[in-house]
Amino acid sequence: MVSATGLTKTFGSFTAVDGIDIEVRPGEVFGFLGPNGAGKSSTMRMISCVSPRSGGDLAVLGMDPDRRAAQIKARIGVVPQQDNLDTELTVRQNLQIYARYFGISWSKAGEKADELLEFAQLTDRAKSRVDPLSGGMKRRLTIARSLVNEPELLLLDEPTTGLDPQARHLLWDRLYRLKQEGVTQIITTHYMDEAEQLCDRLVVMDAGKIVAEGSPSELIAQYSTKEVLELRFTPGTQQDSVPQVEALADRIEVLPDRLLLYTADGEGALSAAHQRGVEPVSSLVRRSTLEDVFLRLTGRQLVD
Amino acid sequence: MAVASIGRVVPAWQGPLLYVEYSWTWYKRSWRSTIVSSVVNPLLLLLSLGVGMSIFLGSNPKIAEFTGGVSYLVWLAPALMTTAALQTATFESTYPILANFQWVRIYQGINATPLSSRQIAGGTLLWIALRAFSVSAVFAVIATLLGAVHSWAVIPAVLCSTLGAMAFSVLVVAFAVTRVDKQPGFEVVFRLIMMPMMLFAGTYYPVETLPVWAKAIAWVTPLWHSTELSRGLSLGTLDPLSALGHLTYLVLLIVLGTWATMRLFVKELEK
Ligand SMILES: Nc1ncnc2c1ncn2[C@@H]1O[C@H](COP(=O)(O)OP(=O)(O)OP(=O)(O)O)[C@@H](O)[C@H]1O
Ligand SMILES: [Mg+2]
């Protein structure tokens, strides 16, 4: 559906996307993770044919965005990071008007609008102006709008940022339904649980480059351990126990109030730590998550 | 392929029309409020000046000298029509354009559809042209009812008025696109360009009475050309050669401004 090699985007002398290779297969949900400024949106914008690439090769639905942007855009759906609804028009008008740009007749556009209102659970707000709607409702409307042309490929740039848990779960359910129908999806997100839930495969981007690639479980297996033991101490005293527990884990991370021990067997490591006289305020054994992978790959410092 | 999209690429000519259809949907909500500033105010000006001046000047022979015998009201009407059209079109070319780029970001939304940046630009200009045309037409109809129009030639005059408004508007739209994410600076356009243009374009008195430097100002303004055309048509005093000159100048500006606008839309939307 999308294939890129050496894809690059520069703004002046600044390189936002630095020669990435990706291959998105039909029917899969593909994720982009990465800290702020990693180049996720820049990549999404090149794929959605609104931003010309600065270098490399890119094919979307088998076509080159430089030459067949309109043909590609006709068959994809785009949820931009920043909503761009018409706040003066009604919810329904936003959908109906948007469908028109895809060559859909006025009456068919109206039917489509009603169907999508149902889909986004906005039917009772159909006639209200967009402006006073809550952020979550606007986001749902933007997502509904991206579906007016029944896209084969859906690009979602941080679709759930700002949504409450109910709305996020509603959206996950909808995206899952679309996946069942065979719609290929590319998603960027800062929520690791979302990526784990939704994505078949994902890449982690950092400073314009891809630093890791695989399915969520593959990434966890490759970059983290099965379990993590968290030992909590009075802030400042955590450092003292490092020598005793060092040998118990594959890798140790020292946080201001905690030690994280990456290990295949958390409970085993915990009892071994107790035996060696380590007395944390509290402890917790948990499964490794994508968040551990993400933080390992992109560091804990803020980049922006 | 498991799914096939129902989206398709509309023919090139239809893109701008879809933008106009959207603008119409948008405009329908609030046309009543705009009608006051764009048509009622100019008509009040026409009445107060046209009638008031006629009474004040009485049968002063100087008036007949430049109006060619018609009343001041009749002489003034086509010029106020072109001014009203230009004013509305100019306003439509400033803050609304900026809003569509940077506040509401309508353009970015449309740009994600099969419509191209050029089609969006074309639709934007077409919509402004329709606004200028409707202001001219409504003004002409009411001026006729008020007895300020005597000839069917007001119909081509309405078109010339639209043309004049667009000749300026395309340049303002192009300027507006360069102001995205910056200080707008439209006050400069309104105060230093539009206002003087409205004063020097021979609206209230003939340009011939002005000193040469002021005449030169009039000659470069699109408004003077469209006013000459509209007035000449309405009063039947237009000679073909100067008509051709005025039209050529206006069309040239429109072509130039449209070209610039399209380029700037592409640059702004396809970063
Ligand atoms: N139009 C532009 N002009 C100049 N620089 C830009 C432009 N758009 C993006 N950038 C820069 O490119 C870099 C990548 O931005 P991008 O929006 O792709 O990041 P992102 O991964 O989506 O970040 P976030 O998670 O914050 O959305 C940033 O440093 C940004 O400042
Ligand atoms: Mg982003």
Side-chain angles (χ1 to χ4, degrees):
Chain A
M1 300 295 279
V2 177
S3 98
T5 43
L7 184 62
T8 302
K9 182 75 198 181
T10 55
F11 298 104
S13 59
F14 176 76
T15 304
V17 179
D18 196 358
I20 63 169
D21 301 339
I22 49 169
E23 182 75 44
V24 181
R25 304 173 199 133
E28 78 176 338
V29 178
F30 189 91
F32 279 98
L33 301 183
N36 293 133
K40 305 179 297 294
S41 295
S42 302
T43 306
M44 293 291 258
R45 286 167 42 77
M46 287 191 277
I47 298 172
S48 55
C49 308
V50 297
S51 171
R53 64 181 183 267
S54 314
D57 285 319
L58 176 62
V60 182
L61 302 172
M63 296 178 276
D64 180 352
D66 278 354
R67 288 184 292 116
R68 312 210 41 204
Q71 283 80 1
I72 296 170
K73 286 170 174 178
R75 290 164 54 192
I76 66 176
V78 179
V79 175
Q81 184 168 355
Q82 202 180 347
D83 283 333
N84 51 34
L85 299 162
D86 194 314
T87 51
E88 298 289 321
L89 294 184
T90 67
V91 169
R92 188 172 183 278
Q93 279 172 328
N94 262 280
L95 295 172
Q96 192 171 20
I97 296 270
Y98 209 70
R100 296 283 291 142
Y101 301 132
F102 292 88
I104 295 166
S105 75
W106 186 258
S107 61
K108 180 85 183 34
E111 284 168 29
K112 197 72 212 170
D114 292 332
E115 179 190 323
L116 289 171
L117 286 171
E118 202 67 47
F119 179 87
Q121 294 192 8
L122 286 167
T123 306
D124 52 337
R125 303 306 293 265
K127 288 198 165 62
S128 71
R129 274 175 60 230
V130 168
D131 200 30
L133 296 188
S134 74
M137 285 182 177
K138 286 182 189 161
R139 206 64 191 145
R140 264 147 63 199
L141 179 58
T142 301
I143 292 160
R145 194 184 68 171
S146 73
L147 299 172
V148 288
N149 60 331
E150 299 179 8
E152 294 159 38
L153 170 66
L154 186 57
L155 302 169
L156 303 125
D157 198 352
E158 297 191 25
T160 60
T161 299
L163 295 190
D164 63 24
Q166 287 82 354
R168 278 177 76 201
H169 282 277
L170 173 73
L171 181 73
W172 290 354
D173 169 64
R174 295 301 188 259
L175 294 182
Y176 191 71
R177 266 164 56 182
L178 289 168
K179 181 180 155 76
Q180 295 299 304
E181 290 166 20
V183 179
T184 310
Q185 298 169 38
I186 305 180
I187 298 182
T188 79
T189 180
H190 288 297
Y191 300 113
M192 298 302 138
D193 55 337
E194 180 164 293
E196 240 175 303
Q197 282 270 340
L198 295 175
C199 298
D200 299 314
R201 254 170 2 109
L202 48 88
V203 293
V204 179
M205 279 185 86
D206 195 15
K209 291 198 168 71
I210 290 178
V211 293
E213 177 171 3
S215 69
S217 54
E218 279 166 9
L219 286 173
I220 292 170
Q222 190 176 349
Y223 295 98
S224 193
T225 49
K226 195 154 158 273
E227 296 186 333
V228 183
L229 169 61
E230 296 200 7
L231 300 175
R232 198 174 286 268
F233 296 90
T234 318
T237 64
Q238 83 285 28
Q239 206 65 3
D240 307 340
S241 306
V242 173
Q244 285 113 294
V245 298
E246 217 157 24
L248 302 178
D250 299 0
R251 189 164 63 87
I252 292 189
E253 202 167 352
V254 185
L255 300 185
D257 64 337
R258 267 175 300 167
L259 296 179
L260 301 188
L261 278 65
Y262 292 88
T263 165
D265 175 13
E267 289 296 344
L270 179 60
S271 47
H274 282 315
Q275 272 167 19
R276 293 177 185 209
V278 177
E279 283 170 15
V281 179
S282 66
S283 62
L284 166 76
V285 175
R286 60 171 175 81
R287 278 181 55 226
S288 245
T289 65
L290 261 188
E291 190 133 347
D292 298 307
V293 174
F294 184 86
L295 291 172
R296 167 142 193 222
L297 289 168
T298 62
R300 281 185 187 267
Q301 297 94 330
L302 288 179
V303 280
D304 263 3
Chain B
M1 189 118 351
V3 278
S5 168
I6 57 171
R8 61 180 181 85
V9 182
V10 300
W13 56 267
Q14 206 189 348
L17 294 183
L18 287 173
Y19 181 82
V20 167
E21 178 183 88
Y22 150 69
S23 302
W24 171 243
T25 310
W26 198 90
Y27 181 68
K28 269 193 303 194
R29 305 161 311 115
S30 62
W31 65 272
R32 284 178 202 85
S33 61
T34 68
I35 227 82
V36 173
S37 58
S38 46
V39 182
V40 176
N41 288 348
L43 279 166
L44 287 177
L45 191 62
L46 175 66
L47 276 181
S48 68
L49 265 179
V51 177
M53 288 293 267
S54 297
I55 296 168
F56 175 61
L57 296 166
S59 51
N60 188 328
K62 272 221 107 141
I63 298 261
E65 214 171 274
F66 69 74
T67 63
V70 300
S71 75
Y72 185 66
L73 180 74
V74 172
W75 188 82
L76 187 63
L80 285 184
M81 171 174 73
T82 57
T83 310
L86 183 116
Q87 225 173 342
T88 294
T90 304
F91 185 75
E92 289 289 320
S93 309
T94 52
Y95 293 105
I97 302 290
L98 228 45
N100 286 353
F101 271 113
Q102 74 182 64
W103 297 312
V104 204
R105 300 170 64 82
I106 304 294
Y107 287 145
Q108 282 82 349
I110 306 177
N111 194 40
T113 75
L115 263 63
S116 69
S117 318
R118 280 165 202 282
Q119 285 173 315
I120 299 170
T124 298
L125 296 181
L126 185 59
W127 171 249
I128 298 172
L130 286 171
R131 292 277 289 121
F133 174 80
S134 66
V135 167
S136 309
V138 173
F139 185 98
V141 168
I142 301 179
T144 308
L145 297 177
L146 294 174
V149 171
H150 289 162
S151 150
W152 286 107
V154 71
I155 293 170
V158 163
L159 295 177
C160 291
S161 166
T162 309
L163 221 51
M166 286 317 288
F168 186 56
S169 249
V170 287
L171 303 176
V172 180
V173 173
F175 172 73
V177 185
T178 67
R179 306 311 299 165
V180 175
D181 296 327
K182 301 197 183 83
Q183 283 289 326
F186 294 140
E187 293 314 310
V188 174
V189 175
F190 294 138
R191 295 206 185 120
L192 294 183
I193 303 177
M194 195 176 82
M195 271 309 277
M197 171 153 69
M198 285 160 54
L199 296 175
F200 286 102
T203 313
Y204 307 100
Y205 49 83
V207 165
E208 288 74 49
T209 55
L210 289 172
V212 110
W213 62 266
K215 273 188 207 155
I217 295 180
W219 293 333
V220 293
T221 68
L223 187 58
W224 176 70
H225 294 275
S226 62
T227 299
E228 285 293 298
L229 282 168
S230 298
R231 181 177 278 151
L233 282 164
S234 305
L235 306 183
T237 55
L238 190 66
D239 75 277
L241 201 62
S242 32
L244 192 67
H246 296 309
L247 279 174
T248 309
Y249 184 71
L250 294 180
V251 170
L252 259 169
L253 284 183
I254 291 175
V255 170
L256 181 81
T258 304
W259 174 80
T261 298
M262 295 215 163
R263 280 190 61 121
L264 288 162
F265 262 67
V266 171
K267 188 164 156 255
E268 190 54 45
L269 287 177
E270 300 174 22
K271 277 186 184 161

